[in-house]
Amino acid sequence: MSDESDKTTHFGFETVPEGEKAGRVQGVFSSVASRYDIMNDVMSGGIHRLWKDAMMDWLAPRAGQRLLDVAGGTGDISFRFLKRAGTGHATVLDLTESMLVEGRKRAEAEAMSDQLDWVTGDAMALPFADNSFDVYTISFGIRNVTRPQEALAEAFRVLRPGGRLMVLEFSQLPNPAMQKAYDLYSFNVIPRMGQMIAGDRDSYQYLVESIRNFPDQETFLQMVRTAGFENAKYRNLTMGVACLHSGWKL
Ligand SMILES: C[S@@+](CC[C@H](N)C(=O)[O-])C[C@H]1O[C@@H](n2cnc3c(N)ncnc32)[C@H](O)[C@@H]1O
């Protein structure tokens, strides 16, 4: 007979007990926090900025909206959202305190601290009441969550009726030759860059492996629908290297 403690999941290409994954993920992001923003620019050649802008284009933030940015890290999505909305409030929630510390420094530098809260917590057990937010975002976060379907259920719970979910995540290229070229780049170049720039090869090895394990566009779309979201759709970015999924709590 099996119980909860026997369940396993993946941590990159390793199989680990479910109960260990969050601690391991936290270890990765604690280790990279102070270099996280610069590494994003270097690894993606700045393209992550275009993907995040595309997320804002589709999301179309409006004045006064309350955003919950889960796995929000150093706040990239929240800053963009608030700048586009003009007025509004963002709550950045993340498992890793040191990522939030970097975000708070950015908020002070940009004189935006009044519009932001920084909360330590887990996407699978949000410390917020039902129906509290207008918009829920999770950017390059959900593939790190132990049970993504539970995170989507929590997103549905905390959004108000009429609220919007948007997920930005790495995805799968539809063309096998392109996928092979991309794998060659990500498995050979990114861990080496991690070593050179952040002095941490293992964390970046985990990051590329975790991308390979994440469900493809259609499978994830089904997960969004299963959580209760309606009018669920996705848009590929850079031919599927990354993908946006959108859904509404109606
Ligand atoms: C790749 S970073 C993304 C940061 C930011 N959203 C961005 O797009 O730049 C992933 C973040 O997810 C956080 N994370 C991982 N698992 C989490 C969980 N279960 N709940 C909340 N945050 C989590 C990590 O601590 C890390 O800060």
Side-chain angles (χ1 to χ4, degrees), residues 60-157:
R62 290 197 307 277
Q65 283 185 320
R66 294 157 299 166
L67 167 70
L68 175 62
D69 181 23
V70 171
T74 59
D76 246 13
I77 297 304
S78 293
F79 289 118
R80 275 181 171 71
F81 184 92
L82 291 170
K83 283 175 187 167
R84 294 235 192 164
T87 59
H89 188 273
T91 301
V92 184
L93 176 134
D94 201 284
L95 201 58
T96 310
E97 176 65 25
S98 42
M99 292 288 279
L100 298 176
V101 167
E102 295 301 317
R104 275 195 210 101
K105 288 185 206 161
R106 285 177 65 183
E108 277 165 31
E110 302 209 27
M112 290 176 70
S113 300
D114 291 355
Q115 284 179 279
L116 287 146
D117 284 328
W118 305 86
V119 177
T120 309
D122 191 324
M124 298 190 300
L126 296 174
F128 307 111
D130 299 358
N131 309 321
S132 310
F133 296 94
D134 301 304
V135 179
Y136 173 110
T137 53
I138 184 163
S139 157
F140 300 117
I142 200 154
R143 75 176 189 283
N144 300 294
V145 173
T146 309
R147 293 182 296 279
Q149 192 69 60
E150 283 181 26
L152 290 171
E154 278 290 86
F156 191 82
R157 181 183 69 75

Side-chain angles (χ1 to χ4, degrees), residues 149-150 152-153 156 218-230 232:
Q149 192 69 60
E150 283 181 26
L152 290 171
F156 191 82
E218 287 293 332
T219 309
F220 190 68
L221 183 66
Q222 204 44 56
M223 290 170 69
V224 169
R225 290 185 174 135
T226 300
F229 289 98
E230 294 190 39

